[in-house]
mmCIF file of all heavy atoms in Angstrom:
data_model
loop_
_atom_site.group_PDB
_atom_site.id
_atom_site.type_symbol
_atom_site.label_atom_id
_atom_site.label_comp_id
_atom_site.label_asym_id
_atom_site.label_seq_id
_atom_site.Cartn_x
_atom_site.Cartn_y
_atom_site.Cartn_z
ATOM 1 N N GLY A 182 96.677 70.191 101.316
ATOM 2 C CA GLY A 182 98.057 70.283 101.798
ATOM 3 C C GLY A 182 99.061 70.379 100.661
ATOM 4 O O GLY A 182 100.036 71.125 100.744
ATOM 5 N N MET A 183 98.806 69.633 99.595
ATOM 6 C CA MET A 183 99.689 69.698 98.426
ATOM 7 C C MET A 183 99.636 71.085 97.788
ATOM 8 O O MET A 183 100.666 71.644 97.396
ATOM 9 C CB MET A 183 99.285 68.622 97.417
ATOM 10 C CG MET A 183 99.507 67.198 97.889
ATOM 11 S SD MET A 183 98.700 65.960 96.853
ATOM 12 C CE MET A 183 99.738 66.029 95.401
ATOM 13 N N ILE A 184 98.427 71.645 97.712
ATOM 14 C CA ILE A 184 98.272 72.991 97.148
ATOM 15 C C ILE A 184 98.979 74.007 98.028
ATOM 16 O O ILE A 184 99.694 74.890 97.531
ATOM 17 C CB ILE A 184 96.779 73.335 96.976
ATOM 18 C CG1 ILE A 184 96.146 72.428 95.920
ATOM 19 C CG2 ILE A 184 96.594 74.806 96.596
ATOM 20 C CD1 ILE A 184 94.633 72.480 95.877
ATOM 21 N N ALA A 185 98.802 73.892 99.340
ATOM 22 C CA ALA A 185 99.445 74.834 100.264
ATOM 23 C C ALA A 185 100.963 74.779 100.132
ATOM 24 O O ALA A 185 101.635 75.819 100.126
ATOM 25 C CB ALA A 185 99.009 74.535 101.701
ATOM 26 N N GLU A 186 101.503 73.584 100.018
ATOM 27 C CA GLU A 186 102.954 73.450 99.877
ATOM 28 C C GLU A 186 103.438 74.060 98.559
ATOM 29 O O GLU A 186 104.443 74.770 98.520
ATOM 30 C CB GLU A 186 103.352 71.976 99.955
ATOM 31 C CG GLU A 186 104.828 71.747 99.924
ATOM 32 C CD GLU A 186 105.206 70.278 100.095
ATOM 33 O OE1 GLU A 186 104.335 69.459 100.422
ATOM 34 O OE2 GLU A 186 106.390 69.965 99.892
ATOM 35 N N ALA A 187 102.713 73.796 97.479
ATOM 36 C CA ALA A 187 103.102 74.354 96.177
ATOM 37 C C ALA A 187 102.982 75.877 96.185
ATOM 38 O O ALA A 187 103.832 76.577 95.627
ATOM 39 C CB ALA A 187 102.239 73.750 95.071
ATOM 40 N N ALA A 188 101.939 76.414 96.840
ATOM 41 C CA ALA A 188 101.770 77.868 96.923
ATOM 42 C C ALA A 188 102.901 78.485 97.742
ATOM 43 O O ALA A 188 103.431 79.554 97.393
ATOM 44 C CB ALA A 188 100.414 78.210 97.534
ATOM 45 N N TYR A 189 103.288 77.814 98.819
ATOM 46 C CA TYR A 189 104.404 78.302 99.633
ATOM 47 C C TYR A 189 105.690 78.357 98.802
ATOM 48 O O TYR A 189 106.433 79.343 98.853
ATOM 49 C CB TYR A 189 104.605 77.409 100.853
ATOM 50 C CG TYR A 189 105.817 77.794 101.668
ATOM 51 C CD1 TYR A 189 105.727 78.780 102.639
ATOM 52 C CD2 TYR A 189 107.054 77.188 101.438
ATOM 53 C CE1 TYR A 189 106.842 79.149 103.378
ATOM 54 C CE2 TYR A 189 108.172 77.563 102.170
ATOM 55 C CZ TYR A 189 108.057 78.534 103.142
ATOM 56 O OH TYR A 189 109.163 78.917 103.857
ATOM 57 N N LEU A 190 105.948 77.315 98.046
ATOM 58 C CA LEU A 190 107.162 77.283 97.224
ATOM 59 C C LEU A 190 107.142 78.385 96.162
ATOM 60 O O LEU A 190 108.177 78.978 95.854
ATOM 61 C CB LEU A 190 107.333 75.912 96.583
ATOM 62 C CG LEU A 190 107.627 74.774 97.564
ATOM 63 C CD1 LEU A 190 107.609 73.427 96.844
ATOM 64 C CD2 LEU A 190 108.941 74.994 98.286
ATOM 65 N N ARG A 191 105.960 78.664 95.617
ATOM 66 C CA ARG A 191 105.848 79.771 94.653
ATOM 67 C C ARG A 191 106.135 81.100 95.340
ATOM 68 O O ARG A 191 106.833 81.957 94.785
ATOM 69 C CB ARG A 191 104.467 79.786 94.018
ATOM 70 C CG ARG A 191 104.254 78.662 93.040
ATOM 71 C CD ARG A 191 102.828 78.669 92.490
ATOM 72 N NE ARG A 191 102.695 77.672 91.470
ATOM 73 C CZ ARG A 191 103.027 77.855 90.198
ATOM 74 N NH1 ARG A 191 103.485 79.005 89.799
ATOM 75 N NH2 ARG A 191 102.892 76.883 89.329
ATOM 76 N N ALA A 192 105.568 81.304 96.539
ATOM 77 C CA ALA A 192 105.804 82.548 97.278
ATOM 78 C C ALA A 192 107.281 82.684 97.633
ATOM 79 O O ALA A 192 107.857 83.774 97.541
ATOM 80 C CB ALA A 192 104.945 82.576 98.537
ATOM 81 N N GLN A 193 107.894 81.590 98.011
ATOM 82 C CA GLN A 193 109.320 81.608 98.345
ATOM 83 C C GLN A 193 110.144 81.987 97.124
ATOM 84 O O GLN A 193 111.090 82.770 97.215
ATOM 85 C CB GLN A 193 109.738 80.234 98.865
ATOM 86 C CG GLN A 193 111.170 80.152 99.323
ATOM 87 C CD GLN A 193 111.537 78.752 99.790
ATOM 88 O OE1 GLN A 193 111.098 77.766 99.203
ATOM 89 N NE2 GLN A 193 112.312 78.670 100.852
ATOM 90 N N ALA A 194 109.776 81.463 95.959
ATOM 91 C CA ALA A 194 110.521 81.755 94.731
ATOM 92 C C ALA A 194 110.433 83.232 94.349
ATOM 93 O O ALA A 194 111.357 83.778 93.759
ATOM 94 C CB ALA A 194 109.998 80.890 93.589
ATOM 95 N N ARG A 195 109.334 83.881 94.716
ATOM 96 C CA ARG A 195 109.204 85.307 94.403
ATOM 97 C C ARG A 195 109.634 86.187 95.572
ATOM 98 O O ARG A 195 109.410 87.395 95.578
ATOM 99 C CB ARG A 195 107.799 85.642 93.924
ATOM 100 C CG ARG A 195 106.707 85.432 94.910
ATOM 101 C CD ARG A 195 105.334 85.847 94.357
ATOM 102 N NE ARG A 195 104.314 85.536 95.328
ATOM 103 C CZ ARG A 195 104.082 86.249 96.419
ATOM 104 N NH1 ARG A 195 104.774 87.325 96.658
ATOM 105 N NH2 ARG A 195 103.155 85.877 97.280
ATOM 106 N N GLY A 196 110.258 85.587 96.581
ATOM 107 C CA GLY A 196 110.815 86.345 97.701
ATOM 108 C C GLY A 196 109.796 86.801 98.731
ATOM 109 O O GLY A 196 110.042 87.757 99.468
ATOM 110 N N PHE A 197 108.640 86.150 98.776
ATOM 111 C CA PHE A 197 107.577 86.472 99.733
ATOM 112 C C PHE A 197 107.126 87.931 99.658
ATOM 113 O O PHE A 197 106.686 88.504 100.644
ATOM 114 C CB PHE A 197 107.995 86.126 101.176
ATOM 115 C CG PHE A 197 108.240 84.667 101.390
ATOM 116 C CD1 PHE A 197 109.537 84.196 101.567
ATOM 117 C CD2 PHE A 197 107.206 83.753 101.399
ATOM 118 C CE1 PHE A 197 109.783 82.837 101.762
ATOM 119 C CE2 PHE A 197 107.445 82.399 101.596
ATOM 120 C CZ PHE A 197 108.738 81.939 101.781
ATOM 121 N N THR A 198 107.236 88.521 98.480
ATOM 122 C CA THR A 198 106.759 89.899 98.353
ATOM 123 C C THR A 198 105.244 89.897 98.454
ATOM 124 O O THR A 198 104.572 89.020 97.905
ATOM 125 C CB THR A 198 107.200 90.521 97.010
ATOM 126 O OG1 THR A 198 106.766 89.671 95.954
ATOM 127 C CG2 THR A 198 108.709 90.701 96.957
ATOM 128 N N PRO A 199 104.674 90.861 99.177
ATOM 129 C CA PRO A 199 103.220 90.887 99.374
ATOM 130 C C PRO A 199 102.472 91.154 98.063
ATOM 131 O O PRO A 199 103.004 91.767 97.138
ATOM 132 C CB PRO A 199 102.998 92.037 100.355
ATOM 133 C CG PRO A 199 104.333 92.498 100.800
ATOM 134 C CD PRO A 199 105.358 91.912 99.906
ATOM 135 N N GLY A 200 101.238 90.674 98.024
ATOM 136 C CA GLY A 200 100.371 90.967 96.905
ATOM 137 C C GLY A 200 100.191 89.850 95.900
ATOM 138 O O GLY A 200 99.376 89.968 94.999
ATOM 139 N N GLY A 201 100.904 88.761 96.022
ATOM 140 C CA GLY A 201 100.770 87.684 95.050
ATOM 141 C C GLY A 201 100.234 86.400 95.641
ATOM 142 O O GLY A 201 100.307 85.351 95.004
ATOM 143 N N GLU A 202 99.689 86.471 96.835
ATOM 144 C CA GLU A 202 99.259 85.254 97.530
ATOM 145 C C GLU A 202 98.148 84.526 96.789
ATOM 146 O O GLU A 202 98.179 83.302 96.642
ATOM 147 C CB GLU A 202 98.782 85.581 98.955
ATOM 148 C CG GLU A 202 99.852 86.150 99.851
ATOM 149 C CD GLU A 202 100.004 87.670 99.716
ATOM 150 O OE1 GLU A 202 99.243 88.311 98.954
ATOM 151 O OE2 GLU A 202 100.915 88.200 100.378
ATOM 152 N N GLU A 203 97.149 85.279 96.313
ATOM 153 C CA GLU A 203 96.027 84.641 95.620
ATOM 154 C C GLU A 203 96.484 84.004 94.307
ATOM 155 O O GLU A 203 96.079 82.881 93.982
ATOM 156 C CB GLU A 203 94.923 85.663 95.343
ATOM 157 C CG GLU A 203 93.669 85.030 94.792
ATOM 158 C CD GLU A 203 92.513 86.018 94.668
ATOM 159 O OE1 GLU A 203 92.599 87.133 95.212
ATOM 160 O OE2 GLU A 203 91.528 85.648 94.010
ATOM 161 N N GLU A 204 97.350 84.694 93.585
ATOM 162 C CA GLU A 204 97.872 84.137 92.338
ATOM 163 C C GLU A 204 98.690 82.876 92.607
ATOM 164 O O GLU A 204 98.618 81.904 91.850
ATOM 165 C CB GLU A 204 98.728 85.166 91.588
ATOM 166 C CG GLU A 204 97.936 86.325 91.007
ATOM 167 C CD GLU A 204 97.626 87.406 92.036
ATOM 168 O OE1 GLU A 204 98.213 87.379 93.147
ATOM 169 O OE2 GLU A 204 96.791 88.272 91.741
ATOM 170 N N ASP A 205 99.479 82.900 93.692
ATOM 171 C CA ASP A 205 100.263 81.717 94.066
ATOM 172 C C ASP A 205 99.336 80.535 94.325
ATOM 173 O O ASP A 205 99.581 79.420 93.863
ATOM 174 C CB ASP A 205 101.101 81.979 95.325
ATOM 175 C CG ASP A 205 102.225 82.960 95.088
ATOM 176 O OD1 ASP A 205 102.636 83.141 93.928
ATOM 177 O OD2 ASP A 205 102.688 83.554 96.091
ATOM 178 N N TRP A 206 98.264 80.778 95.083
ATOM 179 C CA TRP A 206 97.334 79.707 95.450
ATOM 180 C C TRP A 206 96.645 79.151 94.202
ATOM 181 O O TRP A 206 96.567 77.935 94.011
ATOM 182 C CB TRP A 206 96.305 80.193 96.462
ATOM 183 C CG TRP A 206 95.448 79.069 96.945
ATOM 184 C CD1 TRP A 206 94.275 78.632 96.403
ATOM 185 C CD2 TRP A 206 95.733 78.190 98.037
ATOM 186 N NE1 TRP A 206 93.802 77.557 97.091
ATOM 187 C CE2 TRP A 206 94.670 77.260 98.103
ATOM 188 C CE3 TRP A 206 96.761 78.111 98.959
ATOM 189 C CZ2 TRP A 206 94.620 76.265 99.063
ATOM 190 C CZ3 TRP A 206 96.707 77.114 99.922
ATOM 191 C CH2 TRP A 206 95.650 76.198 99.968
ATOM 192 N N LEU A 207 96.144 80.042 93.341
ATOM 193 C CA LEU A 207 95.420 79.590 92.155
ATOM 194 C C LEU A 207 96.324 78.826 91.192
ATOM 195 O O LEU A 207 95.922 77.800 90.628
ATOM 196 C CB LEU A 207 94.765 80.783 91.460
ATOM 197 C CG LEU A 207 93.642 81.458 92.265
ATOM 198 C CD1 LEU A 207 93.179 82.720 91.557
ATOM 199 C CD2 LEU A 207 92.493 80.500 92.517
ATOM 200 N N ALA A 208 97.545 79.292 91.026
ATOM 201 C CA ALA A 208 98.488 78.587 90.152
ATOM 202 C C ALA A 208 98.861 77.233 90.747
ATOM 203 O O ALA A 208 98.957 76.230 90.025
ATOM 204 C CB ALA A 208 99.737 79.436 89.935
ATOM 205 N N ALA A 209 99.054 77.192 92.050
ATOM 206 C CA ALA A 209 99.388 75.924 92.718
ATOM 207 C C ALA A 209 98.221 74.954 92.624
ATOM 208 O O ALA A 209 98.420 73.753 92.382
ATOM 209 C CB ALA A 209 99.748 76.180 94.177
ATOM 210 N N GLU A 210 97.014 75.450 92.791
ATOM 211 C CA GLU A 210 95.823 74.599 92.692
ATOM 212 C C GLU A 210 95.705 73.994 91.288
ATOM 213 O O GLU A 210 95.459 72.800 91.137
ATOM 214 C CB GLU A 210 94.579 75.419 93.024
ATOM 215 C CG GLU A 210 93.311 74.617 93.115
ATOM 216 C CD GLU A 210 92.146 75.458 93.586
ATOM 217 O OE1 GLU A 210 92.096 76.664 93.289
ATOM 218 O OE2 GLU A 210 91.273 74.888 94.258
ATOM 219 N N ALA A 211 95.919 74.818 90.274
ATOM 220 C CA ALA A 211 95.855 74.320 88.898
ATOM 221 C C ALA A 211 96.943 73.276 88.651
ATOM 222 O O ALA A 211 96.705 72.253 88.005
ATOM 223 C CB ALA A 211 95.987 75.482 87.915
#
């Protein structure tokens, strides 16, 4: 859940543009 929230915030910061979901998740996980 913490990773999902951090990934969401990363996606929001980049304007939810498609194509960066996996990078958002991996960066949030790290």
Side-chain angles (χ1 to χ4, degrees):
M183 294 167 72
I184 294 168
E186 184 176 350
Y189 175 86
L190 293 173
R191 288 177 174 276
Q193 184 182 38
R195 64 178 176 77
F197 297 108
T198 54
E202 297 86 3
E203 187 173 348
E204 290 81 12
D205 291 338
W206 186 270
L207 293 173
E210 187 174 32

